Every structure is written in structure tokens, then in C-alpha cells.
Amino acid sequence: MKLTALLLIVSVLSIHAGTYSQNTKITLNLESVNVMTVLEKIESLTEFKFLGNDNVIDKDRIVSINVKQKRVDKILFDLFLNTDITFKVIGAQIILVKKKDIDETQINSERGVEKYKQQKEISGKVTDNNGMPLPGASIIIKGTNTGTTTDFDGNFTLMINEDSVILIVSYIGFGTQEIPINNQTVFKIKLESEASSLDEVVIIGYGSVSKKELTGAVATAENIENRAVTKVEEALQGSVSGVTVLANGGDPTSTPSIKIRGLGTTSAEKPLWIVDGAPYYGGPINPFDIESLTVLKDAASASIYGVRAAAGVILVTTKKGKKGDIKVDFAAYTGVQSVYNKPVALNAQQYTDMYNIAYDNSGIPRLDYFDGVKNPDRLVQRTNWVDEIFRNAIIQNYDVGLRGGSEKYSFSSSLGYNKKEGILINTYADRISFRYNSTVNLSDKIKVGENLSYTVTNGQSAFTGTQAADGGTNYNGVIAAAIKAPPFVSMYNPDGTYSDVADGQNGDVLHPVATLNRIDIDNPIKNTFGNIFLEYKPADKLNLRSSYAINHSDEFYKEFDPRVPEASKVQKTTNTLTQIQANEINWSWENTLNYNTIFNDKHSFQLLGGYSLQHQEREVEGIIAQGFENEDSNLLVLPLADEILDVNYSFFENNLVSFFSRVLYDYNKKYFFSASIRRDGSSKLAKDKRWENFPSVALGWSLSEEEFFKSDFVSSLKLRASWGRVGNIESLSSYPTNLPLSDENIILGGSGYQTGIVLDGRSNPNITWEISETTNFGLDFASQDNRWTLTADYFIKDTDRWLNRTPVSPLEGIGESPFQNSGKIRNKGLELELGYNKDKGDFTYNISGNVSFIKNEILEIAEGFDIIYDNTTQVATHYPLANAVGEPLFSFYLIETDGLLRTDTEVTDARANGQPDAQLGDIRFVDKNGDKKINDDDRVFKGSAFPTISYGLNLTMNYKRFDLSLFLQGTQGGVAYNGFKLTTTYPAHTSVAGANLLNEALDTWYPGNPNASNPRLSINDPNANLRKSDFWLEDTDYLRIKNISIGYTFPDIPYLEKLRVYATAQNLLTWTSYSGLDPEVANYGVDGGQYPVSRAFTLGFNLTLK
Amino acid sequence: MKKYNYIKFLLLCLSFVFTNCTNDFLEVEPKGAPTAETFWKTEVDINRATNALYLMNDAPAIYGRGMFLYSLIPSDDFVVGKSKSEIEEIKNFVTSGSGSYTRDIWSIHFQVIKRANDIINNVPGIEGVSNEVKNFSLGNAYFMRGLAYFQLSLLYGDNRAGIPIVDENTTDFYMERSPSVTDSYEYAAENFSKAAELLPLFSELSSSDYGKAHKNAAYAYLAKTHLHNAEFDHNSWQKVIDACNKVTSTQNELESNFEDVFKIANNWGKEYIWSVPSNVIGGSIFPGVSLENKGWGLYNGWGYFAPTLDLYESYVAGDKRRDATLLAFGDEFEYFGQNRRYWSTMNLTGIQLKKYMEPYSYPNGVHLNGNGDQPSTDLNPPLLRLATVYLMRAEAKIALGQDGDADLNKVRVRAGLAPISGATLDDVKYERRAEFAGELFGRFEDLCRWGDIADIKKALSGRRHDNKADPDSGFSIYEVWKPRNNFDLVKNRVWPIPPNVIDDSRGFIKQNER
């Protein structure tokens, strides 16, 4: 979409000034300025516009001019005297051409005066390379001063002499073309854009501006299709500064989470997605459909979206049909994924040895169970459970797109299928996506259009961590289970059934393979998103737009839990079926009015006003049934159940009303000002708290446009400053002021449940908007020819009236604390994006890097509290997180440790300082408060999981027909609590007595291994080595080769416009010191062993038919 | 100026239209669930609010394992059945109270208290509902509020500090603990007394109300509350007797066979006063938690509670209660419809708690929760039964220098022992241990009450069999748990309040110093 929108407006205006008098006289007094300045001065004083190829004139020639009330054509005559330039005035346009062209014409016309009289009419249309019409383009017959300009739709007609040979077509910002006439009468002329990146149009809320005119902090990502990503979020990772994308592990069904400019609050902070101008609540967007992604980072840019914009806004522009030929695109890739960092369990011999060491360390007689002599079978290595649960997983993706259009109508459609197997057996995710966009120009003034998309996703995953979905403790994560399962047990019994993994001491293990293979989930989620809009242009400067968007999400979930005959923790003699149906409808109706105008050629205004209505409702019905005689999948229907265990239902709805307006102003492309205000009212809040105003202002100053700013190196330099505020109430339920009662299943006399109804919370009529306020200072720089580009932003983002579940008194008896507005959070940061590109010659390349520094700090918390503990995020019932003033959100609050006790003196010392049961090989804890006791009073803050530095480096190279891209991404400054190690290395904390251990157990202290890095194994842990402490805290700094691709584009293949084949490797290499499965730990850095990120190799092609 | 007025007028009109539209659009009433305004209207509402008082029945932290861990494990009757540091910390009196099995005990009790207060505040004003219905609901509310305070007092309160008193009028929930546990016991007693007045007898309940409070449950808990308070207030002994008399005036017949008390068929039998209603869907999981680890491959028993040889050997010859309560190697029992002789490769003491194993005797596990991860059964584990009332009254009478023989002998004779005369506190101690082994709030609380510290501190023993898979295997006796000399009666008879409670109390609630 390289379209010089601004120039378009200027040109349109110039055409309508066609009757402008050529006799205008002006006064000029300019000393030692370049020619360009003179022309600009004339433009600014008159309605004349200069057209023509920029290359024609020697812009930098220094001249002095001093005239009084002189006609413009006379001034120009003087200006270009003794140069090779001459000019032609057509209406208010002045076309500059080289003299030699005119000379040729003169020669030509002298040769054939007869022919000169035989004229004919030609016509045509000038468009950009995307087929968009170019109004105001100049067409000159080569060698003459005859010519014309195109009208609003890019059309022109021109009388030519029969002997005219060549048309010169030019337009500012586009390469000039010479078109041979060759007896043609109708021309279709496409000009190639020469526009620099600064002329690119950037989509902003409810509109667009050229990048030059931006005053807020806005970033764009493009060329998504070249990265073979399956999810849009993956495309954003590392490619945009200030945007932190956390992969959340390799679970094929999970979606990476996006945080724009740090954690602003404690819950429900998701960016707002706007697709083609409408708030989007639909299914996952197929990356194939995306033209560009724009991220509005600062409040000034986002505040036009008011509510829901606190976490930033992501604007998605989908591919559109272009006037002209119909295009058919195909894209396909397939690949294989594998685990790149597999945990290793002890083998049968080590398992036995380490337990005997643990018993010895504890001074407890060894158990017969762990006696390899009495029980030689246990020394036989039969199964490597970790190997058995992972696999090489296939990923495949197919897309087909059909785009095209005519004068009146354009459309774009696509169909895609993506299937991604998970690297854990029996897990997968798939997606079918369909999209149809079209626009119809009903007349010059009325345009209607629609976007329609339909997606169906399905998939199933496995539980891998230690925290159940409802926040409860669960140590049955399947990766940990594969560590814990005994290696001397075979996978199957001789009769083919799953073996009893739970024998004797290791009672609570699961059969890891059976657990995975038994997952039986059908979870089709169908999203139908439709958006229809009408645009009406009653006058050139005025645009009315009304758009209605609706999404219907139809979610079905059916999970069957079969009987488990083998002895294990989840042995079951019954089976259950859970069936849930959910329907969600979101609609929005938005009406906007745009007015664009320019006064005196210098004062440019874009005015916007509008209002919108939004509605959300969701209904969920669920049934749990038990006791299916026959487990055949065809017979798993509710009527065949023995018993309905539970039926539940929930419904909520909420509405939002918004009014908004904005003014964008610039003076001569030099000084920019914008201001907006939005007023939002939400049904979630009480009448008197419902409405809130969200204002913003922004300023820009294009230094490089100033007279005094002269540099050969700088082509553009702009300073920006903005301030704005946005709101957030996403975390609130629909009825926080009038909490519905909840029903509970109560066991009383008799069978089954009885219904209990209770108000398990507290309504809060005072609840109101959380406010996020951002002040932003930015700088944009581009060197001559845009070789170097730099964007820098510094911001302070304050969250006020922080919506948090402030703990209520433990005497109030409320199940879940209500949300309250309490506290303040500050994110401060610096974002830099630096690029260099070489775009000429056979070998071109582009290097861009971005880095963000973010400091997150709590400024205030709820009154009455010094520290608010996070009582939900846990691993192995360690709740290591807390919030306190002066610390980042979700900081680790732990007892500090100081290595292991390796000498008797150290042991004696520790025993005297609060560790009475300390022995050699135990952890030394730091008695912070010096009370000779080690307990929770000794906790200190130890940082948070959120990285303070995130960076990405992108290198793309093209050599002739080869292209190569390399993408590196990394973070620094985050820490994670390695609960996976804690819960799989130590017998006393595996939650499964006698379970097998992680190979970290080999690196534990025992008399024969005094230099080990981990504390001693023990059965009863008298020194409480396994208590919540910073021993388990590790840096998660990493640098990852996220993506490396090499492609080749074939030359001239019949019927094909383009064919590119490529190979991609994702997550090829990772450098990190983190010892867990993956340094990108979700769950605020509390790592219970999440689904690991995979390494993938894919092959694919993109193909366009002619 | 005219033009300006015109615009102003237009804007006014527009804003008028918008304001009216948007105000309607922004008024959204909750659907699909009652709200505070639509609830508390009908008899059904009252009934459902009353049901909601009983969330403890299904809570693992309460009658599943949490409170059993605090009551049985620290005594000399049980040791930790399999290695589990969280439970070992309880056994060794070094727990911080933050363990997952016990950290919710406090909060669930206060949820019950809140629900009771909601009933007490809302039910009396409901129109068009009979007083009978209202009184039953209110009686349940007072009873459960009393039970919550009784249980909390026993677990967390002592003469250093009690439990903060919240009633239906409380609006500021930031308060300090009551000065002594006597205050919270008195508060519990007050609630039980009110409940007893409001509630009907169990025999008057319709079967659909089984599991809810009744008059004798209130009197029996009133007695039990005073029994525990008697240590601090000698006047309580007479109150124990008075309350017990109320019970026995309408309910005075024990099951004739001790073993039958723990049968599904007698869930609501003549000895029933209070129990944990349970079925194959939910309820107390304690029968499964205390079952042989992995249940000999047939059921997911958890094996957390191993009875000590000390308990086994404490029974005098001829006491039928030993074999009804415990299984030793070679003992016969029914299991999944099969006759089986006991052996165990995992049990640390060679002894299994048998009291709650009747549900496991039936073929195909028909009385068991099919999900072994929530091993509830159709048996309602008793919490307070008629025998408790007799032994409480016997102890109270003896404490007051009266004759407790009649009450004591009722229990003794059923156990197959000869009646005694001139019973002393020591006789009460024997009966209570033998009768209530493996039941909630018994041995450990009794030892603390009586000050029998030596019994708590001493080393505990078990049998180590030569071949653990052979029911006829010989054994040697070994020390299964070291002496716990760190036990301090003042500090360790109560448990640490869950640290998250202290954290969230803004400094008002002080931890039990340990």
C-alpha cells in the first residue's frame, strides 16, 4: 500500500483550481536559496503547482531572486534562463521539462507541418502498481510542451499529432515512464512507486496518515507471509519494539500472549484487535490474509479507542482486491517439529542408586523396594518414558487466494487449512479459515463493502504443568509424569494393555503414554465474523462512514474420560463425559464523519467525529455425565449415560457506548498537532461511575523541513511528543456492581448433589475505570536515500486506579475477593529501532534491529497493605509471587540462599543461625532479619519474570533471485522459578513417594560428590531445602535464532507470475543458561514444566498465477 | 449569532436523543442467575441457601483429609503412611500451615460462617413462608456457625488467643482474635443452644432433609464444645451433662454391634447424631485416603494413615473394637466381593485402618466413587455419635466427682467387655481411645486436654514383616517414628493459622507463636 495519500489530496485540489489566472503576480525576495525553495515559495504564495519528474531539474542549484509583483511565468523564465529546463503552464499547473525535448519537437514540427495538423484523440488511465488511480499525473508528448493531467479517477484524454511517438508520464513519488504510442489510442499506464518509507501510509485509528505525519508511537510489521508462521502473534514476536510476545510454550492449542509496553495491570490485559477498521472478536486470523499489522503503542494513538485500548491496539489490514487482473495465489508449506530440549530421567540403575543415597543421607535404613540385590528386576532398564511421550510432529499449511476487481467492484477471498501436530503424542491443533472481502463503488460518492470470515479451529492438548486450569494444585503434568514413572516397567503388559506403573512405593505415578493416548477432546470453535460498511462522500472533503460488525462464536467442547484399569493415581472404574456448548455474540456499530481540508496550502486539517455502540453476550451450558457401559466413541452420547452428574449454565452481557472526535493538523508538513477525545460509557459500571473521558494530545516537528536545517546526510528528522489516557475494565465481569448469586453442588443425605445458592462475593458499586496514561517522546530519522532509519521512543505509562482483586479480610468468608480500584503502576521505557538497507544492484539487503528497555514498578498498592501476596500462582504449593511498592508487578518474594553447606564449620554456623537440622550438602539460607530463625519473615524481593530488555534482529538479503532472511530474538532481565526441577529432582517434593527423578539428581551433594551444585537428596528434608527460596530462581535471558529462511524465485515460468520456493527453520538454536525446559516461561515465571517449544523445519512455496 | 444558536439547538436535540438511547442501552440486568434483589423470596430460595451451608462435606481440606491430618497424625495412634513431607511436618510439629492439604481449612470455615450470617440476616424478613420453614433454616445456620467456631477453636485457638467473633451484624471484618479460646467456645455454644431451640428432632425430619442439622446434633455439639472448654472453665462440666441429658432424653439406644456403626446401612441408624454425608459422587474421601495404597491394584487407595502397633496393642483382650477398627497381617476381610487375608507391601506398620472399609467389601465397587482420584464412598463417616454423648457425660460426671459408670458401661458392654464400677478418668481414657480411634477429633485433642504429653512424645512402633506379601509372614517390631521430644504443649497443641490468612488480615490476626 505505497500510496502517497497526502499528495493525492494536494493534486485533487490542484485540478479543481483549473481556472486559476495565469496572470497572478507575486513578490519574491530570496537570497542564496536552492531552486526547490523558490518553487515551493511560489507554490505557497499562489495556487500554482509544479509537476514533473523530480530528476529533471537541478534542485540544488543556488539562486538569488528579487522581484516585485512579477508574473509567475516571467519569474520562471528568469529562473531557468541558461539552463536546459523549460516549462509549460496548463491551468494552475506548471510542468517542468528538459529543453532538449522541446528542441526535438521543434525540429519534428518543422519537418512535417502537414502531419502536424492531423490530430487524433487518445485516452487512458494512470495507476500505481497496485492499480489504484493516480489523479493529477502529468502526461506530456515527448518533444512538445503539449500535455495534460489525469482526473480524479486517473483518467486522461489528449489530442496528439499523428507523428507523436512517445508519451512521458510522471507523478511525484513515482518513476517517470516513456510510453511508445504505436498507433494505440487507449493506454493503461502503471507507474512504479519510488516513494520512500516515509511516504508510506500508516493506518491509525479511524484513518490513516503518511508515516511522515505520525505524532504517536506506532509500529508496523509487514511481509508476514514470508515467515511461515501459523499464528499472527508469532509474526509480531521480536519484530516490533515495545511489543513483548510470550510463546506460552509449544502447546499447539495455545495462543502466544502479547504485552505492549509492559505489564500495566494484574489481569485481563489484552490488546484490542481492529481488523480493517472494526473491533475484532473473531477466530484466529490466517497470516496469509494479512497485508500489514500496525501496533498503536502510546495512549495518544490508542485513546481514540478509549476503553479496551489500555493494553495497546493492533490494527490488522487484510489483503484487498485490486482493480485489474484477477490474481490467484497459492501458498503451501509442510514441515516437521521436534522437541529441542528434552528433559532426562534417571535410568533404572541410577534411580535405585540415588534413592539409596537419599535414604543414607537421611539416616533412614534403605528400603527393600530400592534394594537392587533383593529386587534385581528393578535394575533392568525397560522404558525411557520421556522418549515415549515425544514425537516428530508434522505441520502442514495450505492457502489459496483469489483477488481482483474492476472499476466498480473489487474482492479478495481466501481459503486456508493449517494442521499442527504437537510434539507430545496425541496432541494437535487445526484451523480452517475462509475470508471474503469486497467493495463496490455504487457511484462516485457511495462505496459499500464487507468483510466476511469464517474459521473453525479444533485441537487437543495435554496438561503439562502443576497448576490446574482452575488455579488448583495438580502434580500430574504429563512431562513430570514421564520423569516420575519407573524406568524398569514396560510400557505394555504382554496382553497389550497398559502396564501398572504404580507399584509399591511409587503409588501416585501415572502411565504417561496411556494418559496422553486417552485424551479424547473434540473442541470445534466456529467463528463467523462479518463487517459491512457504507461510505458516502457528499463532498470531496467530507466522508461519512457507517460500519456494523458482528461475530458469532459457536464453541463446542466434548471430552471423554475413559476408565483407567491399570494401577495408577487416576485409576478409575467409571468414565465421564463433559459436554459444553457456548455461544458468544459481539457486535459493534460505528459511525464516523471525516472532514479533510487545507487552508492556504499550508494548514491541513483532518477532522473526525463519531460514535459507536458495542454489545457482548455469552451463554454457556454444560453437562457432565458418568457411566458409559460401552466406550465406543459412537456411543458416547448423553442418553446412554448412567447418571447426569451436573448441569450448569451461565450467561452474561454488557454494552458500551462511545463518542469520539479528533483533529489532525499540520502546518506545511513541518509542525504537526493532533488531539482527540473519547467518551465511553459501560453497562458494567454503576450509573454515576459509568462515563469516563479519554483525551489525548500530540505534537510533531519535522526539523528537516526547516530552512535552517541543512544536511547532506539527513533526509528527514522529526521530533514527537504525545500524552493521552485510555481506560480498562476488561477484567471486570459484566455485573460487578450487582453480583449474581452462584449455584454450588452440595453433597447432603441421599445420592448425587443438591443445589446450594449463595452470594460468594461482594458487589462493589464504587468500581470504576482503570486509567492508563502515557507520555511519549519520540524521534524519527532517515538518512539520505533512506539508507539509515532510526526511530526512538521514550515513554512513561502510568496505570492509575489499578483494578486488582485486593484481598478482603479472611473473616469475610468470600470465595473470591472483589475487584477494587487501588494502586498505581508505572512502566517506563525506551524503544529503539534502527535499520539499514541497501536496495540497489544484484545484492540488496536490509538489516533492522529493535530493542526495548522497560522498567516496571508499582507506585502504590491498596491502602492498609505493604505487600499483597499472589495466592493463586503456584508450583508445588509454593506461592512465590507478591506485589509491593517499589517492585515490579508479580515479583518473586523469597528467602535468599547462599549456596550449599560444604564444610563442617559452615554447618555449625548454619545450625546456630536458624537451621538447627542443617547437615553437609544442605542449602544455606540467609537470615535477613537476624532473628536466628529462617522463616517467611526473611523473604526479600528478587525481580520478576517480565524481561527488562527485549530485542530482535532481522536480516534480509537478496542476491539476484535468492533471498535469505535471518531473525534473532531474545530477552534479558527476567527470572523464572524452576518448579519443574524442584518437583522432579527431590524425593520429598515429587508429591509421588518413590518416584523416579530428573537427572539433576545426579548433581546433588552426597559424600562422594562434594562439589555438586544441588543440595543433597533426602527422604524427609529436615533442613527444608525445598522450601520456597531463591535457590530455584534462575535467569531466563536468552537469544534465539527464531527463524531462518532461504528462498528462490523462479524466472519466467509460463502461466506463472511468480513462484518462490523456500525452506525455513524455526527456533533453530537457543542460547540460555536457564536449566528448565524453555526460557520463555508463562505463568508469571512460575515454571511447573510447561509444554516445550519445538524446533521446526519447513519447506514451502508461494505461487501466483498470471 | 443566529447561526450559533441554531447549532446549539441542534446539538441539544442530538444529545437528548443520544442520552435517552444510551441510558437504556447501558442498563443491563443479570440473567440466568438470581441476584441479591431477586433472591430470598421463596421457600425454595431458603432451602437452597440452607443447602449451601454444607460445602464442608465435599471439601478435602475439611472432612477429606485436612482435618484428619491435624487430628489423627500427631497422635500416638497413627504415623504417616507413605513418605510425604507435608504430612511429616505435621507429625513432627514443624508445619508452617501453608501446605496444600490444610491451607483452606480457615477460609472454608469462614465461608460457612458468611453463609450462615446471610441466612440469619435475610430469612426472618421473607414473607409468605411458614415459621417452621424459617426456623429450620435459621436453626441450620446457627448450628453450622456454631460448628465452624467449634472446629476452628479446637484447631487454632487456645488460652493465648481464640478465634475472631463474626456475627450477622459484623460490617468491619478487620478485627483481632478473641482474647481466649473460651470466648469462641462460648460463642459456638451460644449458637448450638439457639439451634437446638429452633431445630426439630432427627426423627421429625423428612428423608430429603437428612444430612441437615437437627436438635440432638445441636445438643451433642453443645456438650462437645463444653467438654473442650472445661479445661479452661470448670463450670463447663455441668453444661456437658445438661446437654447430654437433652440428647439421651430422646435418643438412648446404641447400635448393638460396634462394627455396624460403620456400615452404609446405618448411615442414619439409631446411633447417628452427626456425620459427613457422602455418596459415590462426593463427600468425605477419608475412606479412600486411609485405604491401602493402590488398594491391592483394584482401587486407588492413598495409604496416608498407618495405625501404630501402640494403638493395636492398647486394646485389652476381648475388646471387639480392635478387630472392627484395625486389620493386621492374616486378618480376614471382604474386599470387592472376595474374601481376602490382609498383607501389605507398602504399609509401614503392618496394620491397616479397617473402620471405614465396609464400602470396599461389595462386588464391583458399587458403593465407591468410580474416580479413584476422589475416593468417596456411600458410607457417611461419623463425626459425633451417641457413644460420644455417653462417654462425654461419663467423663463430666467423673470430673465432678459423680458416678459415670452407667454411661461408660453402655459403651464397654457393647464392645464385649465386662462392666466396671467406680470408673475413673483412666477408664474414660481407655474407652475413648478404643472407641474413637480413626475418628475426627479424638486422641490428639484428648491427650492435649488431659496433659498426657508423654504419650505424644514417645517413639512409635510398627511391625516389619519378613515377607510383606505373605499374610502369614513373621515380623519384627521396629521403631517406626522417632520420639518427638520437640513437642511443647503450649505451642504445639494448636496449628499455625494458614499464612495467607495472616498476610491478608492487614496485621489484625496474629499467628500462633510456635
Side-chain angles (χ1 to χ4, degrees), chain A residues 172 222 225 244 360 523 547 664 692 804 827 857 1030:
Chain A
I172 291 174
E222 277 169 335
E225 63 203 26
T244 308
D360 294 351
N523 183 24
S547 95
L664 297 178
E692 185 67 55
N804 193 23
N827 280 285
E857 188 184 358
D1030 76 350

Side-chain angles (χ1 to χ4, degrees), chain A residues 504 507 569 571-573 645 655 683 690 741 744 747 749-750 752 755 757 759-760 809 812 877 879 988 991, chain B residues 25-27 34 48 51 57 84-85 100 103 111 114-115 173 210 279 281 294 297 300 346 370 372-373 503:
Chain A
K569 165 144 170 67
Q571 186 171 20
K572 287 192 321 183
T573 57
L645 283 188
N655 291 328
S683 67
R690 177 172 289 167
L741 279 65
E744 285 184 6
I747 297 282
T755 301
I757 289 189
L759 180 62
D760 197 34
S809 163
E812 196 172 337
T877 65
Y879 294 79
S991 288
Chain B
F25 190 62
L26 292 179
E27 285 304 321
R48 289 181 168 169
N51 289 345
N57 291 346
K84 191 85 187 173
S85 52
S100 61
R103 77 196 301 265
Q111 274 180 285
K114 192 252 180 197
R115 292 171 189 203
F173 290 91
Y210 282 8
N279 56 39
I281 305 298
K294 294 306 125 205
N300 184 30
M346 302 174 226
D373 216 14
D503 291 343

Side-chain angles (χ1 to χ4, degrees), chain A residues 463-466 477-480 875 978-980 1077 1086-1092:
Chain A
F463 179 66
T464 51
T466 66
V478 73
I479 299 172
V875 59
N978 194 346
F980 181 73
L1077 298 177
V1086 178
D1087 187 356
Q1090 67 187 13
Y1091 201 124

Side-chain angles (χ1 to χ4, degrees), chain B residues 286-363:
Chain B
F286 188 67
V289 172
S290 58
L291 182 69
E292 164 82 1
N293 194 2
K294 294 306 125 205
W296 298 281
L298 291 177
Y299 195 78
N300 184 30
W302 296 10
Y304 279 148
F305 293 82
T308 57
L309 187 59
D310 307 66
L311 172 65
Y312 187 81
E313 288 179 340
S314 72
Y315 287 92
V316 298
D319 192 330
K320 293 184 198 165
R321 290 174 295 197
R322 187 190 75 180
D323 291 350
T325 305
L326 304 170
L327 278 177
F329 267 52
D331 287 353
E332 290 192 8
F333 64 106
E334 285 288 311
Y335 190 67
F336 281 80
Q338 302 285 315
N339 194 268
R340 197 181 169 102
R341 292 179 68 218
Y342 177 72
W343 55 265
S344 167
T345 53
M346 302 174 226
N347 194 315
L348 293 178
T349 58
I351 299 162
Q352 157 73 33
L353 182 64
K354 188 194 179 193
K355 218 170 203 177
Y356 306 102
M357 281 179 62
E358 191 245 2
Y360 294 92
S361 63
Y362 300 93

Side-chain angles (χ1 to χ4, degrees), chain A residues 37 41 50 101 218 228 290 346 349 550 601 697 933 1069:
Chain A
T37 311
K41 192 76 190 170
F50 291 95
D101 297 342
V218 173
I290 293 177
L346 300 182
Q349 179 71 49
I550 185 164
D601 285 344
V697 288
K933 284 181 193 165
L1069 284 171

Side-chain angles (χ1 to χ4, degrees), chain B residues 71-89:
Chain B
S71 184
L72 307 192
I73 289 292
S75 76
D76 53 349
D77 283 355
F78 290 88
V79 293
V80 186
K82 60 181 183 187
S83 98
K84 191 85 187 173
S85 52
E86 182 181 339
I87 305 178
E88 284 155 7
E89 285 164 9

Side-chain angles (χ1 to χ4, degrees), chain A residues 854-875:
Chain A
I854 287 184
K855 182 173 186 265
N856 179 282
E857 188 184 358
I858 297 172
L859 299 181
E860 272 174 32
I861 59 171
E863 214 184 310
F865 290 89
D866 294 323
I867 293 173
I868 295 179
Y869 298 89
D870 178 352
N871 287 325
T872 33
T873 316
Q874 57 88 22
V875 59

Side-chain angles (χ1 to χ4, degrees), chain A residues 14 61 80 124 179 197 237 251 316 382 404 419 503 568 622 629 647 688 760 874 1038:
Chain A
S14 66
R61 184 165 59 92
F80 292 112
I179 312 274
S197 60
Q237 187 170 34
D251 178 354
V316 179
R382 291 195 174 87
K419 178 160 183 175
D503 72 324
S568 85
E629 172 86 48
V647 178
D688 54 331
D760 197 34
Q874 57 88 22
Y1038 70 91

